Amino acid sequence: RAAPMSDSATRRFAITLSLLAVALPLLGWGTFQSARSMFNDPTRWVPPTLPERQDYEWFVEHFELEDAVILSWPGCTVDDPRLARLEAELRAPTDPKLRATSDELFARVLTGYSAVRELTTGSADLSRSLALDRLQGTLVGKDGRTSLAMVVLTREGARHRKRSIDTVLSAAERAVGLDRSRLFAIGLPVDGHVIDTESIRSLTYFAVPSALIVWLLCCFCLRSWRFTLLIVLVAAVGECLVMTLVYLTGHPMSAVLIVMPPLVFVLTVSGGVHLINYYYDEVRLRGTAGAVRRALAS
């Protein structure tokens, strides 16, 4: 059983609770904003001094490598007129509200349908077989028939990739006539968006169950709901604090940083359990008087 708190300890406890009550809204807001800022870019997961990253950034700087969304669907070939409709829809959307959005997000649109016709009827004046051979492995598949649409994003489009991907899929639904569940979309923006979505989902779905499991284990091990409440509360505040600090420093949350909040939570709970056990040992050996001070010193 815990020893009665002195007047000074009671005042410090009240001040701590008051400061915590003031900080909770900020921590809640920072945690929410940090989760919303989720943006995964694997090229940024390694330090700038790494030679491989320096080579990649040199290549991007000199060759202007751009992010692109690659889209296809079952039965999509170089002669599929739906590719032309999709290209037209992305360049000049039928919905007037999306026209400004399209110019803002998309730099250009390339399709196998248009590329083959440009090479065979334009200044190149190639035969169809030669045009298909030149496009094979880029806009045309190995079978010489399968094709796709490549939507190159602007810097703004890459920065707001969720919006860009949703716009591309919505345009494809209108132009192709298929539900987005039947469309195939790949590319670095799509990969990053999927990682963002799954990271947020795991953080949302597993936070409460894991906290509940920790609560039950602490209650079982410590035999005190008051100590358990104190430990879990401090751990939760620490978890929210690190997420808030990530947002306030201007860094987006990522699949790498997302392991930090649960790590802080687990380490805080572990340290709290050890500290409470030290307290129990001091109470058993020397009584409640000064047990807290001796536990902290041990």
Side-chain angles (χ1 to χ4, degrees):
R1 187 176 60 182
M5 290 191 299
S6 63
D7 293 339
S8 60
T10 302
R11 286 196 299 271
R12 288 195 298 269
F13 184 71
I15 293 174
T16 301
L17 286 182
S18 300
L19 293 175
L20 182 60
V22 173
L24 278 178
L26 174 62
L27 294 178
W29 171 82
T31 301
F32 176 74
Q33 294 297 332
S34 183
R36 285 187 58 191
S37 70
M38 182 73 66
F39 192 90
N40 284 285
D41 183 1
T43 62
R44 305 294 176 183
W45 291 354
V46 295
T49 55
L50 194 71
E52 289 79 4
R53 176 172 171 179
Q54 292 176 350
D55 292 342
Y56 173 80
E57 291 180 345
W58 179 91
F59 182 87
V60 171
E61 180 183 354
H62 287 79
F63 294 94
E64 297 184 359
L65 182 67
E66 297 166 307
D67 289 336
V69 177
I70 299 173
L71 192 71
S72 189
W73 52 86
C76 179
T77 67
V78 292
D79 297 316
D80 192 338
R82 292 177 293 182
L83 279 173
R85 292 201 298 268
L86 174 60
E87 185 176 355
E89 181 66 25
L90 289 171
R91 289 180 173 176
T94 54
D95 187 349
K97 297 179 180 179
L98 296 179
R99 288 179 184 173
T101 300
S102 179
D103 295 337
E104 178 186 358
L105 300 179
F106 310 135
R108 59 186 181 276
V109 183
L110 306 172
T111 67
Y113 183 93
S114 299
V116 169
R117 279 145 186 83
E118 183 177 350
L119 290 176
T120 54
T121 61
S123 58
D125 195 22
L126 301 177
S127 65
R128 178 181 172 86
S129 60
L130 185 56
L132 291 174
D133 184 62
R134 289 193 176 186
L135 293 173
Q136 192 170 350
T138 54
L139 295 176
V140 179
K142 292 183 178 180
D143 59 0
R145 297 182 65 254
T146 306
S147 190
L148 52 84
M150 179 183 295
V151 185
V152 181
L153 305 183
T154 62
R155 291 185 180 272
E156 186 70 14
R159 188 159 44 245
H160 301 282
R161 60 191 179 197
K162 180 181 184 302
R163 182 181 167 200
S164 300
I165 294 170
D166 286 340
T167 303
V168 170
L169 293 178
S170 297
E173 285 181 317
R174 293 191 298 272
V176 180
L178 294 176
D179 186 80
R180 65 177 57 191
S181 61
R182 299 188 61 191
L183 301 173
F184 306 132
I186 61 172
L188 286 178
V190 178
D191 294 342
H193 174 60
V194 171
I195 297 174
D196 293 346
T197 303
E198 291 303 312
S199 298
I200 295 175
R201 187 183 69 85
S202 64
L203 185 65
T204 303
Y205 286 3
F206 298 117
V208 174
S210 61
L212 180 60
I213 293 173
V214 169
W215 173 278
L216 294 176
L217 288 175
C218 285
C219 283
F220 176 77
C221 295
L222 299 177
R223 309 294 183 180
S224 171
W225 68 267
R226 289 182 299 175
F227 285 144
T228 298
L229 176 62
L230 180 62
I231 291 174
V232 173
L233 178 62
V234 172
V237 170
E239 190 174 24
C240 294
L241 178 61
V242 294
M243 293 189 68
T244 301
L245 289 176
V246 169
Y247 176 74
L248 292 179
T249 53
H251 295 282
M253 186 62 69
S254 68
V256 175
L257 286 176
I258 203 172
V259 303
M260 182 172 58
L263 177 63
V264 170
F265 187 89
V266 170
L267 292 178
T268 303
V269 170
S270 176
V273 169
H274 280 81
L275 185 60
I276 297 301
N277 281 322
Y278 294 154
Y279 171 77
Y280 282 158
D281 291 340
E282 293 297 331
V283 170
R284 185 174 60 256
L285 294 174
R286 306 179 189 178
T288 57
V292 173
R293 186 179 297 105
R294 294 194 302 273
L296 290 172
S298 62

